[in-house]
Amino acid sequence: MVAVAGRGGQAVGILSAYGLRLARKRWRFRAFRKRRELSAVVDRTGRIRGRDLLLFSTLRNERLRLPYFLRYYRELGIDHFLVVDNGSDDGSREYLAQQPDVSLWTTEASYKRARFGVDWLNWLQMRHGHGHWCLVVDPDEFLVYPFCDTRPLRALTDWLDASSIRSFGAMLLDMYPKGPIDAQPYREGQDPFEIAAWFDSGNYTISRNWLYNNLWIQGGPRARMFFADDPARAPALNKIPLVKWHRSYAYVSSTHMLLPRGLNLVYDEWGGEKASGCLLHAKFLHTLTGKAEEELRRGQHYAGSAEYRAYAATLAETRDLWCKWSEKYINWRQLEILGLMSKGNWA
Amino acid sequence: MLCHTALHRAAQVARHLAAQGAPVVIHVDGQVPRPQHERFVRALADLPRIRFCRRFRCEWGTWSLVAATQAAAEMVLAEFPEVSHVYTVSGACLPLRPLAELEAYLARHRGMDFIESVTTEDVGWTVGGLDIERFTLFFPFPWRRRRWLFDRFVTLQRRLRVRRAIPEGVVPHLGSQWWCLTRRTLAAILSDPRRPALDAYFRRVWIPDEAYFQTLARLHSHRIESRSLTLSKFDFQGKPHIFYDDHLQLLRRSDCFVARKIWPEAERLYRAFLAPAGTGPALAEPNPGKIDKVFSRAVERRTKGRPGLYMQSRFPNENWENGKTCAPYSVFEGFCELFEGFEGWLARTAGGRVHGHIFAPGRVEFAGGERVWNGALSDSAALRDYNPRAFLTNLIWNTRGERQCFQFGPADNQAVSWFIATDPNAQISVVSGAWAVPLFRSKANFSELRRTAARLQKVEAGHLEILRSPWTKARVRIWTLADFVENPMEPLQTILDEIVPRGLRRPTEAPRLVDLTGFGRFLQQLRNEGMQPVLMGDFPASDLPAPPLRRPVAARLS
């Protein structure tokens, strides 16, 4: 990496550029060490072909969601799923192992100490993702991009390739039902957005991280309901889930940011709009109640699971994230009009 | 036809063209591996009118593309004597109309050469600023692979004032490499006695495929129609836009003959346009206007974006926003302190949405005391103060189409002062010192009032300094309290006129000023306590009520 001068007045010197290079090497080494925590259940990676689109995911006890998750992404054109199962005991592992396009690893090791799964996935991507477009999502995140109703994911990645773009940003958009979140139980195979059909359209705040050059986005129903008194702790919503992977890349913190940091420039700084998508987040379903309790017990989540503690507290009280200005989801064009995502110059 | 990837699609198109009676000569890029090439040739072996010409290794922006075109063109002219026009297409092109319609079109424009050919002074599309210099500098380094060297070498030549001589009689023209020339013109270009010299010259021109035929056609053609029959759009980086299945209707309505470039997996497009031709030749003129609009909007979105929008893929640096907010809005400072029920009056008179102090310390005072506003903006002061600027830009963005008015004052969070002052969309009207009126009416402990007054005055003075700075771009009006109460309706009318153009809405009532009897005395008391109230202007210290203050002023409004 050549020393980069930061734009907009904040000079980022050679030293910090070198520091980031070391950081990237450290994360990669860490991922390399953590590889020993993974043991393969089924390794079908031999079937991956040169141009295949790969999806990477870590999960725990998501059996209920898996059928729709796999169907959604198969329909978008994902060719192979590489999944780390973190000690599921609800049949997720057995279900995934049967799928012909899934390679599965399992681990009982600490999610937290693998930096919330990032180390494991960094390793798998280093191993299998090199030269491929890789999508890294959780089982409750559903990618929506411009023209996703008429063009497969491959159309997007081909276009990104042709435009010499290596990474594609997709903000996390929290979806929630109207009424108590456990009023309508989610059934296996169902589209979760039939229930969690609503979202906040215009209460997001953005600031820029001058070291990593990524944007830090917060807001949405979680900030509005759970962190209204302490906004700084509201979860980050910026994500860069789709990257033309190179073995020297590394995710730093979830899929919020990457190194080298040029990959984080998924936004335009001079007034224009780059193409971007959204990750519809089907977190707020009836499954959350049980999950929140379990995660609180395990304490394996970010910031001492503060998020889950806040959910448990607030949901016990109000149980409704919906407000009269909530927007009902229709399609990606709606998100684009609302300014949550953009077609950029893809037409 | 020039091909380098997605050969199965090229084969489909070639077969489609040959089936309609057109001879096709194909050039396959020399970089295509032999087995693939052989499979391609075999796939078309059953069609005698498809030929393959000598292969060149093609690299973008180099002579090899011209050489390939020349070889293919020579082969067409030599082997198909009945051919009257030669049309260059690529493997990613797709014919949108039956060949018969193209033939009819060409017959109607007899002897015309369709080739986009524009002088270097007039082209607007060259990316990177190289136009005439394409012809006068040397380009030994490939742009795609050795960008840095390429750029340095250009800079060096500019500094050294290197200039290649352009051959005599040649006037550099640029244009699309997808042309349709008559046999006569093409033959004349290819059999020009000076061709070896011209070829040697163009070999060192940058991107000669966009210049060679376009320039030489000017020497040999009788009638040039300077446009391409191929629909091909370029984005802001000079890279062709790609067509997908969802463009089907757009392409059909365009009435263009050939479109470029098509995504190889756009199955629906290939199936629709390569279907056997239906009825007899239609005579429609190509009309790419609609597609032009779609793509030029895309370019604009990528380069300018939507003003006032801050989002995950548009986060402009300061002063590059192209519109800090997305719509005009009004900021009122000191008005609701001075008029009774000002917010309600303003909403009735000017329309739009009138909020209270949305930057108030306790909570966001949305209109009507709402807890949540458009876009699910929360009234939590903590959320707002976490990023006040984003709060404001969100509010304005979320309420597009409805003018927002809000109150502001020295007791509020001042973090957006600079932002609104430098925003041309802001209309800021200030009655300075009006914050003292509620203090005056509050009858609270005087020493506390005095402290509050001193604090508010300091804050407002700072704010006014910002509004008066040379960087301010907002529409700012400032009156002192004393000046304002002397004649309140005229300033109000001016502000209203700006919000609602005159004549649209007639105010039927005037707002009521609060009772200021004794205000002068109050100020004097502050002075006596050692504070110096200055922002109110000159108020008489006497207790005399100023008569015009309490007179209803409806007459002036009508």
Side-chain angles (χ1 to χ4, degrees):
Chain A
M1 187 161 55
V2 191
V4 195
R7 290 184 184 134
Q10 241 103 339
V12 177
I14 295 173
L15 265 182
S16 78
Y18 192 69
L20 289 177
R21 187 190 175 85
L22 289 182
R24 179 164 58 87
K25 290 195 181 279
R26 203 170 62 235
W27 295 133
R28 292 186 61 232
F29 180 67
R30 192 183 160 106
F32 177 71
R33 258 188 319 116
K34 291 276 177 182
R35 80 192 187 283
R36 270 178 285 163
E37 294 179 357
L38 301 176
S39 56
V41 180
V42 225
D43 187 345
R44 301 190 177 96
T45 50
R47 299 192 196 165
I48 297 176
R49 332 260 334 197
R51 288 183 69 223
D52 277 4
L53 300 173
L54 310 181
L55 183 148
F56 294 80
S57 189
T58 311
L59 55 84
R60 173 186 175 81
N61 289 346
E62 299 283 10
R63 173 67 185 82
L64 188 61
R65 293 172 177 278
L66 284 174
Y68 184 78
F69 174 79
L70 293 173
R71 194 177 97 210
Y72 183 87
Y73 282 108
R74 279 174 188 146
E75 275 169 18
L76 280 192
I78 292 292
D79 297 295
H80 202 86
F81 296 80
L82 298 95
V83 183
V84 174
D85 167 54
N86 185 202
S88 294
D89 51 17
D90 68 341
S92 297
R93 189 183 317 156
E94 294 71 18
Y95 179 78
L96 283 170
Q98 290 163 11
Q99 306 298 320
D101 51 358
V102 172
S103 292
L104 182 66
W105 288 262
T106 186
T107 177
E108 296 288 339
S110 163
Y111 181 64
K112 190 172 176 178
R113 288 177 58 192
R115 293 188 308 130
F116 316 106
V118 172
D119 290 334
W120 299 328
L121 292 188
N122 268 344
W123 164 248
L124 289 183
Q125 285 185 275
M126 211 187 297
R127 216 34 237 291
H128 304 290
H130 180 74
H132 290 273
W133 279 97
C134 295
L135 182 66
V136 181
V137 289
D138 288 341
D140 57 359
E141 295 172 346
F142 296 87
L143 178 69
V144 166
Y145 53 88
F147 306 102
C148 60
D149 47 2
T150 48
R151 302 179 196 173
L153 191 57
R154 165 96 60 205
L156 175 66
T157 56
D158 279 358
W159 177 77
L160 292 169
D161 272 331
S163 312
S164 318
I165 302 172
R166 298 176 296 169
S167 55
F168 182 78
M171 183 180 114
L172 199 61
L173 189 65
D174 288 326
M175 309 290 291
Y176 48 85
K178 183 175 179 179
I181 60 162
D182 47 5
Q184 235 181 309
Y186 172 75
R187 282 177 291 105
E188 182 178 329
Q190 187 185 13
D191 176 356
F193 305 115
E194 287 172 8
I195 301 168
W198 302 81
F199 62 94
D200 284 11
S201 70
N203 55 10
Y204 300 91
T205 59
I206 306 179
S207 59
R208 187 172 168 166
N209 177 336
W210 286 99
L211 181 58
Y212 284 90
N213 276 340
N214 63 304
L215 295 184
W216 186 27
I217 307 180
Q218 292 167 293
R222 283 191 272 177
R224 174 164 61 85
M225 296 296 291
F226 307 134
F227 296 93
D229 301 320
D230 193 5
R233 297 183 69 183
L237 304 176
N238 48 295
K239 291 225 165 190
I240 305 173
L242 184 62
V243 179
K244 175 79 173 267
W245 202 258
H246 187 279
R247 62 172 76 84
S248 66
Y249 297 170
Y251 276 113
V252 174
S253 140
S254 174
T255 47
H256 299 311
M257 51 192 185
L258 289 132
L259 280 174
R261 60 186 162 179
L263 296 168
N264 295 329
L265 283 172
V266 291
Y267 55 96
D268 190 281
E269 305 164 79
W270 312 106
E273 292 175 30
K274 288 188 179 177
S276 56
C278 277
L279 284 177
L280 304 187
H281 197 197
K283 187 189 193 89
F284 297 100
L285 294 171
H286 81 277
T287 47
L288 180 68
T289 330
K291 194 113 187 159
E293 280 160 22
E294 188 197 333
E295 296 305 338
L296 266 182
R297 217 173 36 248
R298 295 199 328 137
Q300 287 280 308
H301 277 269
Y302 185 68
S305 303
E307 213 182 310
Y308 280 101
R309 205 163 310 144
Y311 299 156
T314 314
L315 289 175
E317 237 175 82
T318 60
R319 337 201 88 218
D320 193 358
L321 297 174
W322 188 87
C323 72
K324 77 171 195 185
W325 289 109
S326 295
E327 199 82 37
K328 187 163 187 180
Y329 179 72
I330 305 170
N331 57 19
W332 68 268
R333 284 183 195 274
Q334 169 198 28
L335 300 183
E336 135 109 336
I337 290 166
L338 289 169
L340 291 166
M341 59 185 265
S342 177
K343 290 186 278 192
N345 58 321
W346 201 28
Chain B
M1 176 187 279
L2 307 175
C3 314
H4 65 113
T5 52
L7 295 181
H8 64 294
R9 288 303 186 193
Q12 244 181 310
V13 172
R15 178 172 292 276
H16 173 78
L17 292 172
Q20 294 180 72
V24 182
V25 172
I26 299 177
H27 174 267
V28 182
D29 184 358
Q31 294 181 56
V32 171
R34 177 174 295 188
Q36 238 178 306
H37 175 244
E38 278 171 2
R39 213 173 322 131
F40 180 51
V41 173
R42 257 202 318 278
L44 294 170
D46 57 322
L47 295 161
R49 286 168 74 76
I50 292 184
R51 306 279 163 84
F52 291 86
C53 73
R54 192 187 142 198
R55 294 171 65 189
F56 294 84
R57 272 183 87 82
C58 292
E59 183 165 1
W60 184 86
T62 64
W63 171 256
S64 52
L65 289 162
V66 180
T69 315
Q70 283 179 333
E74 278 169 348
M75 193 167 190
V76 176
L77 297 183
E79 298 193 11
F80 301 100
E82 76 283 6
V83 163
S84 66
H85 286 82
V86 177
Y87 197 139
T88 51
V89 293
S90 82
C93 286
L94 181 61
L96 303 183
R97 292 169 66 178
L99 213 55
E101 292 185 20
L102 176 61
E103 278 166 6
Y105 187 83
L106 293 175
R108 268 188 296 136
H109 300 89
R110 193 171 297 284
M112 206 179 262
D113 294 300
F114 291 91
I115 179 165
E116 187 182 37
S117 163
V118 187
T119 62
T120 51
E121 291 88 45
D122 299 316
V123 292
W125 69 76
T126 51
V127 171
L130 287 168
D131 33 56
I132 185 68
E133 288 173 332
R134 290 182 181 196
F135 295 90
T136 59
L137 300 183
F138 294 90
F139 301 94
F141 301 108
W143 186 75
R144 287 248 161 121
R145 287 180 287 128
R146 295 267 181 274
R147 184 83 54 96
W148 189 85
L149 274 176
F150 182 96
D151 289 343
R152 291 304 100 79
F153 197 64
V154 167
T155 317
L156 178 71
Q157 292 179 78
R158 281 179 183 160
R159 202 162 295 157
L160 298 177
R161 294 175 205 284
V162 172
R163 294 211 69 153
R164 294 178 64 199
I166 299 173
E168 218 178 299
V170 169
V171 183
H173 281 71
L174 297 173
S176 160
Q177 66 270 53
W178 314 112
W179 37 255
C180 178
L181 293 177
T182 56
R183 179 181 197 95
R184 211 198 59 80
T185 306
L186 189 57
I189 291 174
L190 294 176
S191 57
D192 189 322
R194 288 168 69 202
R195 187 171 147 194
L198 289 173
D199 284 6
Y201 168 75
F202 275 100
R203 208 177 275 275
R204 311 228 177 284
V205 165
W206 192 47
I207 322 188
D209 50 323
E210 288 183 3
Y212 181 81
F213 290 97
Q214 293 72 3
T215 302
L216 299 185
R218 289 280 169 189
L219 294 180
H220 298 288
S221 170
H222 290 303
R223 288 177 69 196
I224 283 189
E225 175 82 0
S226 178
R227 66 186 158 95
S228 172
L229 292 179
T230 298
L231 171 69
S232 175
K233 290 281 139 204
F234 293 90
D235 71 2
F236 78 119
Q237 293 170 309
K239 160 178 76 58
H241 277 297
I242 302 167
F243 292 104
Y244 300 91
D245 281 348
D246 46 55
H247 290 122
L248 178 61
Q249 291 311 321
L250 213 55
L251 287 173
R252 268 197 209 287
R253 281 199 302 261
S254 75
D255 284 324
C256 291
F257 291 104
V258 179
R260 178 167 202 281
K261 81 199 246 185
I262 312 290
W263 187 48
E265 291 176 44
E267 185 57 40
R268 213 169 126 226
L269 289 188
Y270 278 99
R271 225 177 313 128
F273 287 111
L274 297 187
T279 48
L283 294 175
E285 268 291 316
N287 172 28
K290 218 168 199 143
I291 291 188
D292 279 348
K293 225 182 291 164
V294 169
F295 288 116
S296 55
R297 263 207 303 267
V299 171
E300 191 167 324
R301 193 166 45 230
R302 180 62 188 86
T303 52
K304 288 211 180 94
R306 288 171 274 182
L309 175 63
Y310 301 80
M311 48 95 76
Q312 54 168 334
S313 54
R314 180 182 202 266
F315 195 66
N317 291 327
E318 206 162 341
N319 300 321
W320 284 88
E321 296 94 345
N322 169 33
K324 286 175 167 251
T325 48
C326 72
Y329 57 95
S330 306
V331 186
F332 291 89
E333 306 187 20
F335 287 74
C336 65
E337 284 75 10
L338 208 49
F339 293 104
E340 275 160 17
F342 176 73
E343 291 162 32
W345 174 82
L346 185 64
R348 284 192 300 279
T349 315
R353 195 61 67 172
V354 183
H355 303 283
H357 287 263
I358 56 171
F359 290 99
R363 58 177 285 265
V364 182
E365 295 174 5
F366 287 124
E370 293 283 342
R371 303 290 315 272
V372 205
W373 202 255
N374 287 46
L377 265 186
S378 160
D379 72 339
S380 148
L383 275 179
R384 176 201 64 202
D385 293 342
Y386 183 53
N387 194 336
R389 184 187 294 205
F391 172 81
L392 180 62
T393 53
N394 277 340
L395 175 67
I396 305 295
W397 174 263
N398 293 343
T399 54
R400 280 163 290 164
E402 177 191 66
R403 190 182 183 103
Q404 303 295 305
C405 303
F406 62 88
Q407 321 300 322
F408 192 70
D412 296 344
N413 183 341
Q414 299 289 307
V416 288
S417 263
W418 268 114
F419 184 78
I420 54 174
T422 50
D423 180 7
N425 273 330
Q427 179 206 40
I428 307 176
S429 315
V430 188
V431 180
S432 69
W435 44 264
V437 176
L439 296 184
F440 150 67
R441 303 174 77 202
S442 77
K443 316 283 186 227
N445 175 338
F446 193 78
S447 67
E448 207 165 282
L449 286 185
R450 185 216 164 286
R451 263 202 306 280
T452 313
R455 182 170 57 83
L456 295 182
Q457 172 154 280
K458 197 168 167 202
V459 172
E460 189 170 68
H463 176 65
L464 292 179
E465 201 173 306
I466 292 173
L467 293 184
R468 289 183 174 125
S469 81
W471 294 282
T472 291
K473 291 202 177 69
R475 189 88 190 74
V476 177
R477 293 193 182 82
I478 304 172
W479 300 271
T480 62
L481 180 60
D483 286 349
F484 189 83
V485 293
E486 212 146 275
N487 177 12
M489 286 330 287
E490 212 170 277
L492 270 186
Q493 188 68 62
T494 319
I495 299 166
L496 282 180
D497 284 347
E498 220 171 79
I499 299 177
V500 196
R502 193 183 268 280
L504 273 178
R505 217 186 262 253
R506 311 297 307 174
T508 51
E509 46 169 344
R512 257 202 115 68
L513 271 174
V514 300
D515 184 2
L516 287 178
T517 318
F519 186 65
R521 191 66 226 147
F522 172 72
L523 292 184
Q524 186 56 44
Q525 245 174 307
L526 285 176
R527 282 191 202 101
N528 296 347
E529 289 290 316
M531 191 214 151
Q532 184 68 292
V534 290
L535 298 176
M536 300 80 190
D538 291 327
F539 249 92
S542 70
D543 246 355
L544 291 177
L549 299 188
R550 305 173 64 193
R551 179 163 50 98
V553 264
R556 283 170 175 279
L557 274 169
S558 52

